[in-house]
């Protein structure tokens, strides 16, 4: 009986991984409101307890994986958009490279980005009606201000 449970647990973890990867690719196309285009209210309600979720059945694992993929993808995509588009349009390429190096941007894990985004929404309820991309931009201006040492890089 224990062997069956262990085998089922392994199968569930495998299915969770596959479903999560699939979800991360397709979530923006098929989510009912679309996490990346959602407001802070929608995003926060769907993502605030993501780390405390412990799915038990296959149906719960699939629902969890879709939600997990949506939360991580929306936060990471908004973060990447601000970094790659917002700062590039307002700064010289050398200033952007300086910014990347200053904060080691490429090594910030998705979990940290999601945590910072949820914390920002929780601490700034007046911004909950904004789209998630705008919320992440505000969160980044608080957590990653553009370093003065990078402003003069041409």
């Amino acid at each position: 009986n224990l062997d069956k449970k262990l085998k089922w647990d392994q199968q569930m973890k495998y299915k969770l991984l596959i479903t999560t990867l699939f979800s991360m690719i397709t979530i923006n196309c098929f989510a009912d409101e679309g996490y990346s285009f959602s407001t802070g209210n929608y995003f926060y309600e769907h993502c605030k307890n993501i780390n405390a979720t412990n799915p038990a059945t296959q149906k719960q694992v699939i629902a969890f994986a879709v939600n997990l993929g949506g939360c991580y993808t929306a936060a990471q995509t908004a973060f990447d958009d601000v970094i790659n588009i917002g700062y590039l349009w307002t700064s010289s390429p050398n200033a952007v490279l300086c910014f990347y190096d200053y904060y080691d941007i490429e090594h910030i894990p998705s979990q940290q980005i999601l945590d910072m985004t949820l914390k920002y929404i929780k601490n700034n309820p007046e911004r909950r009606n904004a789209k998630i991309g705008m919320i992440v931009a505000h969160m980044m201006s608080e957590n990653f201000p553009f370093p003065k040492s990078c402003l003069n890089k041409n």
Side-chain angles (χ1 to χ4, degrees):
N1 218 3
L2 183 60
D3 287 338
K4 284 183 181 180
K5 173 145 178 43
L6 290 174
K7 186 175 180 181
W8 189 83
D9 285 347
Q10 288 174 333
Q11 288 175 345
M12 290 300 281
K13 286 178 184 176
Y14 178 74
K15 288 178 183 177
L16 173 63
L17 175 64
I18 296 298
T19 306
T20 301
L21 292 174
F22 176 76
S23 298
M24 292 177 81
I25 294 168
T26 61
I27 193 69
N28 291 327
C29 298
F30 300 110
D32 51 349
E33 185 175 335
Y35 288 79
S36 291
F37 302 107
S38 68
T39 63
N41 285 320
Y42 181 89
F43 183 85
Y44 189 77
E45 289 306 312
H46 284 80
C47 302
K48 66 182 176 183
N49 295 320
I50 198 76
N51 293 322
T53 305
N54 191 13
T57 67
Q58 185 174 3
K59 186 176 180 179
Q60 289 173 339
V61 167
I62 292 169
F64 170 75
V66 169
N67 199 36
L68 180 72
C71 294
Y72 279 102
T73 302
Q76 184 71 51
T77 300
F79 183 85
D80 291 342
D81 287 348
V82 172
I83 293 294
N84 296 322
I85 298 171
Y87 287 138
L88 284 176
W89 284 356
T90 60
S91 304
S92 72
N94 288 335
V96 173
L97 291 174
C98 177
F99 174 84
Y100 268 72
D101 291 342
Y102 187 88
Y103 289 112
D104 197 19
I105 289 294
E106 293 184 13
H107 295 103
I108 297 174
S110 295
Q111 181 66 53
Q112 182 179 349
I113 295 167
L114 179 61
D115 291 345
M116 289 187 303
T117 304
L118 291 169
K119 181 180 177 184
Y120 182 85
I121 294 169
K122 182 179 180 183
N123 293 338
N124 297 280
E126 71 279 4
R127 298 197 186 227
R128 281 188 170 202
N129 289 324
K131 297 292 184 191
I132 195 63
M134 190 58 77
I135 289 171
V136 169
H138 285 286
M139 175 276 294
M140 288 179 64
S141 69
E142 281 187 9
N143 292 288
F144 304 101
F146 208 88
K148 289 181 182 172
S149 61
C150 294
L151 291 175
N152 297 326
K153 304 282 183 184
N154 292 323

